[in-house]
Amino acid sequence: MKVLYQERERTTWIVFNRPEKLNALDLEGWKFLGDYVRKADSSRSLATIITGTGRAFSAGDDIGAMANLEEQDKAEEFFNTLLYAVDGLIDSKKPVIGAVNGLAYGGGCEILLFMDVVVSVASAKFSIPEGRLGLIPPMALSVGYKAIGRPLSCSP
């Protein structure tokens, strides 16, 4: 299973479980995350904790899986599923806590922006490498709009 779900001691744990891919999320992984955040939100738990197995919290998107999105409808499905997961995090009525156990790169780092609290081990590494490629990190770009419910502007 690429993403695990467990309720224990009034806490829900969502665990990225692809250590061989640094917990990178493909279409199925994003879908599980979106489903599990909503399930946690309707559970009896007091908070949701999201973490990873192995040496990474998450390396973000599975770039290999993305490279195989050759048709427009498949690419739209992927990004709509990613948005489904992000919307679940933003709309959660319970605190969502990121427990960073190692690398948090790309989308794995960006996803932390949607959590209420982030804690990490001292050796954790955070990076948004899209900037080195001249790209804008897509999830980070959307934070303001969704969080305040209206487009950002400089006027009062």
Side-chain angles (χ1 to χ4, degrees):
M1 186 67 90
K2 296 177 182 181
V3 181
L4 306 173
Y5 179 94
Q6 183 180 41
E7 292 181 26
R8 57 183 166 175
E9 298 180 25
R10 304 280 305 213
T11 317
T12 298
W13 288 79
I14 298 172
V15 182
F16 301 135
N17 190 38
R18 290 180 76 199
E20 73 284 358
K21 294 275 191 178
L22 299 177
N23 299 318
L25 297 167
D26 58 6
L27 176 71
E28 183 181 36
W30 284 113
K31 175 78 167 86
F32 278 128
L33 178 59
D35 289 346
Y36 289 162
V37 167
R38 286 166 176 80
K39 181 177 178 180
D41 209 34
S42 64
S43 75
R44 296 188 52 180
S45 68
L46 300 174
T48 302
I49 300 172
I50 300 176
T51 193
T53 56
R55 64 186 190 100
F57 171 76
S58 176
D61 290 320
D62 182 336
I63 301 302
M66 289 178 69
N68 291 325
L69 301 173
E70 296 176 0
E71 299 163 13
Q72 181 175 339
D73 61 326
K74 294 294 183 190
E76 287 176 5
E77 178 186 17
F78 179 87
F79 288 105
N80 285 330
T81 304
L82 184 154
L83 179 60
Y84 168 74
V86 169
D87 279 346
L89 291 168
I90 292 171
D91 295 337
S92 178
K93 295 169 192 68
K94 296 178 184 176
V96 179
I97 302 164
V100 182
N101 57 304
L103 304 175
Y105 281 17
C109 185
E110 289 177 79
I111 200 170
L112 297 170
L113 297 170
F114 302 104
M115 298 188 189
D116 299 294
V117 176
V118 176
V119 294
S120 73
V121 296
S123 60
K125 296 191 185 299
F126 301 84
S127 176
I128 299 180
E130 293 92 336
R132 291 182 24 202
L133 301 171
L135 302 172
I136 297 172
M139 284 188 283
L141 184 64
S142 68
V143 172
Y145 175 79
K146 180 67 178 180
I148 62 173
R150 58 184 165 76
L152 297 175
S153 73
C154 296
S155 59

